[in-house]
């Protein structure tokens, strides 16, 4: 047998052995983490909801405000009270603007009471979120509020102006209420940093909320905000939405402006990976929020065009096909996928087509290649607030002595980048080409009437610190940033441990309306967001 025949088989055997070792390590570390959690005390959940106003969608709140069935001030006050209730348990908010928000709410109410008040129809068209509060992650700038991105070196940095997404939401009548916690520099899928600490899952505080928009996913699930704005470069909207049982949408590339976000991207290629989009409990809020954020590009999405679910072509994969060092997809998530396939068959007479897209096994490799920067503007550079590069061995030593201002995962990221593919190298060029081929394969398959169902993540929300032993699980979301395709995370109830599960729905380029329409249909069938605790 030739070496050319033997080598791939040897590589496969080594990969399988690596996976076995990884599964064993996962099991051992998880048991240790469980034991430590038990020693630390019982798990908690978000406090029960006492105010039924909090159960309304942002769309319904806006309707009731402009029809004078509710005042903006009362709605804002309800959410302020809720945030004060959940914050000590969940730690999702980093800074609030409660007094300013109440003042702006009163101004909305005064306008509605005035003789020159615009009609409800005019408000619905020109200011669809008139008087409705919203929140956003601490990476997206709000004028006169801190914009730290979870980095200690930025603890006193204040945004001088609104990010474009915030400006557009204000123009639509919405009122910024607070900013929410993120992972350090938005580059990890557990929300924890040395500035504001760790955010906890509202369904079980021993578990993570995801990242980097983890605080936003948490506050939405706990009904501390009617709608939120997140950003996503590798799954930072979709993973928190999945772990917290809400809806989240990553728009098609280039549709929503990334202006005013920190860290900002260093190249056009990176900017194509990054997307700002809505996070919410109710699927009906996705489309109007996206329409506001898309602004002048909204016409490219045809969001007002009617969608007939029965005319959509459905494709799916239950897992990534065998990527090394990623967790297997939980049985509960596979069952949820099968429930969706069965629903499509029974209710819409649609037979979904199962695919085997081989390049999905290279998701992490392709994403890493597309994230690679030239000019040494790597994560080591970002950790200094773009004022140089950290000395990694010195920072690791400081971390061991409890003196570092950085999380251990941030330091691991710096070390991992040392082994990443070099920008412009032959390998880098090859991986970029493979990314383009995969993008074309998806576009050929989905076209303008197909959607692809895929796990958002292989497991429900892990316990705190557990992501350290399965760092590449975010590959399930990251690959669609590479492809630039729209992706909507849809909750599908709770697993046997009482944690949210669901799937993501991916469409062809600029076919965001299809993925959102599917999300709305799945919400009607499976119930969508589940209360973390009972309503009193």
């Amino acid at each position: 047998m030739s070496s050319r025949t033997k080598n791939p088989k040897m590589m496969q055997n080594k990969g399988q052995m690596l996976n076995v070792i990884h599964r064993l390590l996962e099991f051992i570390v998880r048991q240790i983490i469980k034991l430590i959690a038990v020693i630390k005390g019982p798990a908690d959940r978000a406090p029960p909801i006492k105010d039924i106003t909090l159960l309304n969608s942002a769309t319904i709140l806006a309707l009731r405000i402009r029809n004078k069935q509710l005042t903006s001030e009362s709605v804002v006050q309800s959410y302020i009270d809720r945030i004060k209730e959940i914050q000590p348990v969940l730690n999702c908010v980093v800074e609030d603007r409660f007094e300013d928000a109440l003042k702006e709410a009163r101004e909305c109410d005064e306008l509605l009471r005035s003789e020159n008040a615009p009609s409800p129809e005019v408000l619905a068209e020109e200011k669809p979120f008139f008087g409705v509060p919203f929140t956003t992650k601490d990476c997206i700038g709000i004028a006169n509020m801190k914009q730290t991105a979870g980095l200690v070196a930025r603890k006193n940095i204040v945004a001088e102006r609104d990010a474009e997404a915030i400006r557009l939401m204000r123009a639509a009548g919405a009122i910024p209420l607070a900013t929410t916690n993120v992972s350090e520099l938005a580059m990890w899928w557990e929300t924890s940093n040395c500035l504001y600490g760790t955010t906890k899952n509202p369904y079980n505080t021993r578990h993570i909320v995801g990242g980097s928009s983890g605080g936003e996913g948490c506050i939405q699930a706990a009904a501390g905000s009617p709608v939120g704005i997140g950003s996503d470069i590798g799954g930072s909207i979709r993973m928190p939405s999945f772990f917290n049982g809400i809806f989240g949408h990553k728009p098609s590339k280039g549709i929503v402006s990334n202006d005013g976000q920190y860290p900002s991207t260093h190249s056009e290629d990176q900017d194509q990976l990054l997307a700002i989009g809505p996070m919410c409990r109710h699927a009906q809020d996705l489309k109007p929020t996206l329409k506001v954020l898309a602004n002048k590009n909204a016409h490219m999405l045809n969001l007002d065009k009617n969608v007939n679910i029965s005319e959509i072509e459905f494709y799916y994969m239950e897992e990534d096909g065998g990527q090394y060092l990623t967790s297997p997809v939980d049985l509960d998530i596979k069952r949820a996928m099968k429930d969706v396939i069965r629903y499509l068959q029974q209710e819409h007479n649609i037979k979904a087509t199962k695919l085997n897209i081989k390049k999905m096994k290279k998701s992490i490799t392709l994403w890493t290649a597309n994230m690679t920067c030239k000019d040494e503007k790597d994560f080591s550079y970002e950790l200094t607030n773009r004022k140089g590069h950290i000395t990694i061995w010195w920072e690791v030593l400081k971390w061991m002595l409890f003196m570092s201002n950085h999380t251990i995962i941030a330091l691991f990221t710096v070390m991992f980048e040392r082994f990443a593919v070099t920008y412009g190298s032959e390998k880098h060029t090859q991986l970029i080409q493979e990314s383009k081929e995969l993008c074309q394969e998806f576009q050929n398959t989905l076209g303008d009437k197909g959607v692809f169902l895929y796990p958002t993540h292989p497991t429900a929300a892990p316990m705190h610190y557990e992501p350290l032993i399965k760092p590449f699980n975010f590959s399930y979301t990251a690959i669609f940033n590479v492809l630039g395709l729209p992706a909507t995370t849809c909750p599908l109830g709770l697993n046997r441990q009482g944690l949210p599960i669901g799937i993501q729905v991916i469409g062809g380029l600029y076919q965001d309306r299809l993925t959102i329409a599917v999300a709305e249909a799945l919400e009607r069938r499976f119930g969508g967001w589940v209360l973390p605790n009972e309503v009193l």
Side-chain angles (χ1 to χ4, degrees):
M1 186 180 290
S2 70
S3 60
R4 291 185 66 182
T5 305
K6 289 170 64 177
N7 284 344
K9 190 171 183 179
M10 288 176 61
M11 290 286 289
Q12 185 178 12
N13 289 339
K14 286 181 180 179
Q16 290 172 346
M17 182 59 69
L18 199 60
N19 272 348
V20 170
I21 295 171
H22 182 242
R23 302 284 188 273
L24 180 61
L25 180 63
E26 274 191 277
F27 176 78
I28 293 171
V29 172
R30 185 173 178 84
Q31 301 314 308
I32 293 171
I33 291 174
K34 281 183 176 180
L35 179 60
I36 293 172
V38 169
I39 293 172
K40 289 175 70 174
D44 204 350
R45 288 187 293 174
I49 294 173
K50 304 170 185 175
D51 184 348
I52 60 172
T53 299
L54 304 173
L55 299 179
N56 289 299
S57 68
T59 303
I60 293 299
L61 288 174
L63 173 66
R64 297 185 68 186
I65 288 171
R66 61 178 174 260
N67 286 330
K68 301 180 185 178
Q69 296 168 329
L70 283 174
T71 65
S72 175
E73 183 179 6
S74 69
V75 171
V76 170
Q77 188 63 59
S78 289
Y79 280 101
I80 289 173
D81 294 342
R82 180 61 175 169
I83 289 174
K84 289 179 178 178
E85 189 176 34
I86 64 175
Q87 178 64 9
V89 179
L90 305 177
N91 189 37
C92 51
V93 170
V94 299
E95 189 179 13
D96 68 69
R97 59 186 305 276
F98 292 162
E99 291 304 315
D100 287 340
L102 284 169
K103 179 181 177 183
E104 291 163 16
R106 293 185 196 107
E107 290 171 356
C108 288
D109 295 331
E110 289 171 6
L111 176 60
L112 288 177
R113 288 193 295 265
S114 69
E115 293 182 359
N116 298 321
S119 69
E121 294 75 19
V122 169
L123 280 177
E125 178 66 27
E126 298 180 357
K127 293 184 179 294
F129 290 110
F130 185 78
V132 176
F134 74 100
T135 47
T136 191
K137 67 192 293 188
D138 176 32
C139 287
I140 300 173
I142 298 179
N144 303 315
M145 292 187 73
K146 290 180 180 178
Q147 189 181 18
T148 72
L151 187 66
V152 172
R154 292 181 59 84
K155 65 181 179 181
N156 295 318
I157 300 293
V158 174
E160 296 180 356
R161 62 179 178 86
D162 288 336
E164 179 65 3
I166 304 303
R167 185 192 72 78
L168 291 170
M169 288 296 288
R170 283 189 193 262
I175 300 171
L177 188 59
T179 53
T180 50
N181 204 18
V182 298
S183 53
E184 187 172 9
L185 282 174
M187 279 297 287
W188 184 235
W189 54 279
E190 174 167 10
T191 290
S192 184
N193 57 66
C194 295
L195 198 54
Y196 298 115
T198 301
T199 302
K200 300 172 183 178
N201 194 293
Y203 294 85
N204 185 323
T205 53
R206 289 177 179 168
H207 292 257
I208 73 169
V209 294
S212 61
S213 309
E216 196 55 47
C218 175
I219 199 172
Q220 293 300 320
S225 169
V227 66
I229 308 300
S231 61
D232 190 313
I233 200 168
S236 291
I237 285 174
R238 287 161 291 154
M239 282 186 291
S241 296
F242 169 75
F243 291 146
N244 293 280
I246 64 167
F247 293 90
H249 181 73
K250 181 198 83 66
S252 294
K253 65 180 180 180
I255 287 294
V256 178
S257 171
N258 292 320
D259 171 72
Q261 183 171 204
Y262 190 91
S264 56
T265 54
H266 291 292
S267 66
E268 180 63 27
D269 291 339
Q270 272 193 354
D271 198 63
Q272 292 294 297
L273 297 179
L274 180 62
I276 288 176
M279 302 173 70
C280 48
R281 290 186 297 284
H282 303 280
Q284 73 171 156
D285 290 332
L286 291 171
K287 190 187 297 183
T289 309
L290 178 59
K291 187 183 292 188
V292 168
L293 296 176
N295 194 22
K296 62 183 180 181
N297 292 328
H299 71 280
M300 297 171 64
L301 305 182
N302 292 313
L303 293 173
D304 292 328
K305 187 176 180 181
N306 185 56
V307 176
N308 185 341
I309 297 295
S310 299
E311 295 176 356
I312 298 176
E313 296 174 357
F314 284 81
Y315 305 88
Y316 72 100
M317 284 177 65
E318 293 179 339
E319 53 190 18
D320 61 16
Q323 188 168 198
Y324 297 142
L325 298 178
T326 58
S327 302
V329 176
D330 283 353
L331 288 178
D332 284 334
I333 296 173
K334 287 187 174 182
R335 289 193 188 103
M337 177 77 79
K338 285 183 171 64
D339 287 343
V340 171
I341 302 303
R342 191 178 304 111
Y343 153 73
L344 292 171
Q345 176 72 54
Q346 294 175 350
E347 298 295 325
H348 298 282
N349 198 29
I350 295 171
K351 183 171 177 56
T353 303
K354 189 172 185 178
L355 301 179
N356 180 21
I357 303 173
K358 294 182 178 180
K359 279 191 173 68
M360 297 299 277
K361 291 192 293 186
K362 300 184 71 174
S363 294
I364 279 294
T365 305
L366 296 178
W367 181 82
T368 303
N370 280 268
M371 281 290 290
T372 301
C373 275
K374 55 184 177 181
D375 302 328
E376 298 186 348
K377 292 180 179 178
D378 56 10
F379 200 57
S380 172
Y381 170 74
E382 297 291 355
L383 288 177
T384 67
N385 196 27
R386 300 182 172 179
K387 295 180 180 177
H389 292 80
I390 66 167
T391 304
I392 186 60
W393 64 265
W394 176 240
E395 285 298 333
V396 170
L397 178 61
K398 285 167 64 177
W399 183 86
M400 294 173 66
L401 297 173
F402 305 99
M403 296 172 60
S404 178
N405 287 329
H406 303 295
T407 57
I408 188 61
I409 193 59
L411 303 181
F412 281 160
T413 302
V414 172
M415 289 185 275
F416 175 76
E417 280 191 332
R418 303 288 172 90
F419 301 98
V421 63
T422 304
Y423 184 90
S425 66
E426 183 178 346
K427 182 66 173 176
H428 179 259
T429 302
Q430 175 192 333
L431 291 172
I432 296 301
Q433 179 58 35
E434 288 187 43
S435 301
K436 293 177 181 177
E437 292 169 1
L438 181 58
C439 183
Q440 190 60 53
E441 183 176 353
F442 263 96
Q443 198 58 43
N444 290 343
T445 300
L446 301 181
D448 61 1
K449 59 179 181 178
V451 299
F452 177 63
L453 310 179
Y454 195 59
T456 311
H457 201 80
T459 73
M463 300 183 77
H464 295 293
Y465 309 112
E466 202 178 343
L468 289 168
I469 54 156
K470 35 187 157 188
F472 303 129
N473 281 3
F474 77 99
S475 62
Y476 278 81
T477 50
I479 189 60
F480 299 108
N481 295 83
V482 172
L483 305 181
L485 302 178
T488 307
T489 287
C490 308
L492 294 171
L494 307 180
N495 68 4
R496 286 168 289 182
Q497 288 73 46
L499 295 168
I501 55 172
I503 59 172
Q504 56 181 329
V505 183
I506 294 90
L509 190 62
Y510 307 136
Q511 304 305 314
D512 301 54
R513 65 189 177 86
L514 298 185
T515 69
I516 292 174
V518 172
E520 292 171 344
L522 295 183
E523 181 183 41
R524 288 192 294 270
R525 172 60 180 83
F526 296 98
W529 168 69
V530 178
L531 283 136
N533 219 320
E534 296 179 359
V535 180
L536 289 184

